[in-house]
């Protein structure tokens, strides 16, 4: 093995100046802390017969998408994720709107907060502070305080738990409090197994090496669809690599044709995120699709969730994807924490 391919603790520390590894490995404790923070906020249960809207961007929005997937058919009312400046046209006083912005200064989420207020919807805020916390406290809107010192994408445990708890509080879904506790314990086991202290050829490290110098295409379905998107964004931000995500069966109706020229255009890899509870025809499609694109991709993987409950299984692949993206950053020789291009874009927008 070459020095460039090393993924031991010293190799990671040499690149990970921002300490992203510690945030990734802290997932179990973050899940428990998130439950405590929601309870400490003393939110009042209030029925929202029109359902829950989660308004956020990036790492602050992904928790809502993951929560909706974890709940599945246990959701009793619509749970909708909105990433942008506005809200769905059907938003009404009977709607609950969770405005999630880690910094509290995300302009799209601030706009959604104002829109929710104008429409008379019941608002809840999750943030560390900023303009969003200031506005919410001035208007008597409940605030769930998030811990400081993280990159927004590293607070996935908080955004997931907050969305799940708020969904219960507004009557949109059953409560998963105990399921989250059990999932945190399972995540501890996976951290011990998959962390950098393990063998140099363990699965997350081998997977990162397999994706190195390729353009990963991540595919999921049902429970794993938002996880595929999470993998894509984590590879984008941590490893500073292009990556894309899609859903099965939709990709079998269009994207699969694009693979015909993939081998001529570059090195593309394919990752299919499987789950024991997927529709049998979806699982069949994964196998068929892998076979049909095999001649054009650099490498392909089928990865199945680990655990019993939907929350356990979902978090197993969230953790795996976060680790793979961090190991991919080490192989790229880039610090996973800084996102200079995004920061520059935000600064430019703030200047008008």
């Amino acid at each position: 093995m070459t020095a460039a391919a090393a993924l031991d603790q010293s190799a990671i520390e040499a690149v990970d100046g921002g300490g992203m590894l510690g945030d990734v490995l802290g997932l179990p404790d973050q899940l428990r802390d998130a439950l405590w923070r929601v309870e400490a906020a003393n939110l009042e249960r209030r029925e929202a017969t029109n359902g829950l809207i989660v308004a956020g961007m990036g790492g602050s929005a992904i928790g809502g998408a993951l929560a909706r997937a974890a709940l599945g058919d246990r959701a009793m009312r619509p749970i909708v994720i909105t990433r942008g400046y506005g809200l769905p046209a059907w938003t009404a006083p009977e709607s609950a709107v969770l405005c999630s912005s880690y910094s509290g200064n995300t302009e799209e989420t601030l706009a959604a907060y104002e829109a929710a207020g104008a429409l008379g919807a019941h608002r809840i805020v999750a943030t560390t502070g900023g303009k969003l916390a200031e506005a919410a406290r001035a208007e008597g809107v409940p605030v769930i305080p998030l811990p400081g010192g993280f990159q927004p994408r590293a607070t996935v445990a908080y955004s997931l738990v907050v969305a799940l708890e708020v969904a219960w509080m507004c009557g949109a879904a059953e409560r998963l409090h105990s399921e989250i506790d059990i999932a945190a314990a399972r995540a501890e086991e996976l951290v011990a197994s998959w962390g950098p202290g393990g063998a140099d050829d363990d699965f997350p490290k081998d997977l990162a090496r397999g994706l190195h110098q390729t353009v990963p295409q991540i595919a999921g379905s049902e429970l794993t669809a938002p996880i595929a998107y999470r993998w894509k964004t984590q590879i984008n931000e941590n490893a500073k690599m292009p990556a894309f995500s899609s859903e099965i069966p939709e990709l079998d109706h269009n994207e699969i044709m694009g693979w015909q020229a993939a081998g001529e255009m570059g090195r593309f890899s394919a990752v299919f995120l499987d789950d024991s509870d997927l529709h049998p025809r979806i699982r069949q499609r994964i196998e068929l699709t892998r076979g049909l694109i095999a001649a054009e991709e650099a490498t392909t993987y089928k990865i199945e969730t680990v655990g019993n409950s939907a929350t356990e299984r979902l978090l197993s692949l969230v953790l795996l994807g976060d680790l793979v993206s961090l190991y991919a950053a080490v192989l790229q020789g880039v610090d996973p924490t800084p996102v200079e291009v995004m920061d520059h874009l935000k600064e430019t927008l703030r200047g008008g």
Side-chain angles (χ1 to χ4, degrees):
M1 182 180 300
T2 66
L7 289 172
D8 56 17
Q9 191 73 39
S10 61
I12 295 167
E13 290 174 356
V15 172
D16 185 24
M20 183 65 72
L21 176 63
D23 294 341
V24 170
L25 299 181
L27 178 70
D29 287 338
Q30 293 158 17
L31 290 165
R32 299 184 182 103
D33 185 48
L35 285 172
W36 176 84
R37 286 174 180 275
V38 176
E39 290 177 359
N42 293 316
L43 302 184
E44 180 181 341
R45 291 199 66 189
R46 178 171 165 177
E47 291 290 313
T49 56
N50 215 31
L52 171 64
I53 300 164
V54 180
M57 303 298 300
S60 297
I62 191 62
L66 294 170
R68 183 175 59 188
L71 286 164
D73 59 11
R74 293 178 290 182
M76 296 171 283
R77 291 174 184 149
I79 299 174
V80 175
I81 318 305
T82 178
R83 294 175 168 98
Y85 293 90
L87 296 171
W90 46 262
T91 307
E94 297 78 22
S95 306
V97 180
L98 170 61
C99 297
S100 178
S101 167
Y102 184 71
S103 68
N105 294 314
T106 309
E107 65 175 57
E108 298 95 329
T109 310
L110 287 167
Y113 173 85
E114 293 297 331
L119 292 166
H122 174 50
R123 295 176 289 182
I124 307 99
V125 162
T127 185
T128 58
K131 296 176 182 178
L132 186 58
E134 183 180 346
R137 292 188 173 114
E139 299 180 62
V141 172
V143 176
I144 301 169
L146 302 178
F150 290 92
Q151 288 291 313
R153 62 189 181 278
T155 61
V156 62
Y158 293 95
S159 61
L160 169 62
V161 170
V162 167
L164 286 172
E165 290 285 274
V166 170
W168 166 69
M169 288 175 182
C170 71
E174 65 180 73
R175 195 176 197 188
L176 301 189
H177 191 289
S178 297
E179 194 168 300
I180 296 166
D181 265 335
I182 295 169
R186 173 57 68 96
E188 278 184 333
E189 297 173 3
L190 294 176
V191 163
S193 174
W194 288 343
D200 203 54
D201 60 349
D202 69 8
F203 182 58
K205 295 173 185 176
D206 270 358
L207 182 53
R209 293 188 184 101
L211 300 181
H212 184 49
Q213 295 184 335
T214 73
V215 179
Q217 317 290 303
I218 320 296
S221 185
E222 299 170 5
L223 180 74
T224 66
I227 308 174
Y229 183 75
R230 168 72 176 181
W231 277 52
K232 166 241 183 316
T233 58
Q234 287 293 87
I235 292 171
N236 292 156
E237 292 191 64
N238 288 342
K240 282 70 178 175
M241 288 168 51
F244 302 91
S245 67
S246 53
E247 293 188 39
I248 295 175
E250 175 65 18
L251 74 80
D252 285 337
H253 293 263
N254 38 63
E255 182 180 310
I256 193 171
M257 296 306 302
W259 281 92
Q260 285 190 197
E264 303 169 10
M265 302 180 72
R267 299 187 74 242
F268 292 83
S269 55
V271 179
F272 295 88
L273 303 183
D274 197 1
D275 178 62
S276 59
D277 204 34
L278 291 184
H279 191 288
R281 295 290 281 181
I282 296 293
R283 304 193 83 186
Q284 183 181 14
R285 281 177 176 273
I286 289 175
E287 294 299 336
L288 289 171
T289 305
R290 289 184 72 197
L292 288 168
I293 69 172
E296 299 296 334
E297 37 78 358
T299 185
T300 181
Y301 298 90
K302 184 184 77 168
I303 305 168
E304 190 165 336
T305 55
V306 178
N308 297 313
S309 72
T311 304
E312 278 185 71
R313 302 197 313 272
L314 177 143
L315 283 166
S316 72
L317 287 194
V318 169
L319 174 62
L320 178 61
D322 286 5
L323 280 169
V324 168
S325 71
L326 187 137
Y327 294 149
V330 175
L331 294 173
Q332 290 286 107
V334 298
D335 187 339
T337 297
V339 283
E340 290 96 342
V341 174
M342 287 168 51
D343 291 340
H344 176 72
L345 176 63
K346 292 175 184 177
E347 281 297 323
T348 304
L349 287 169
R350 276 195 285 268

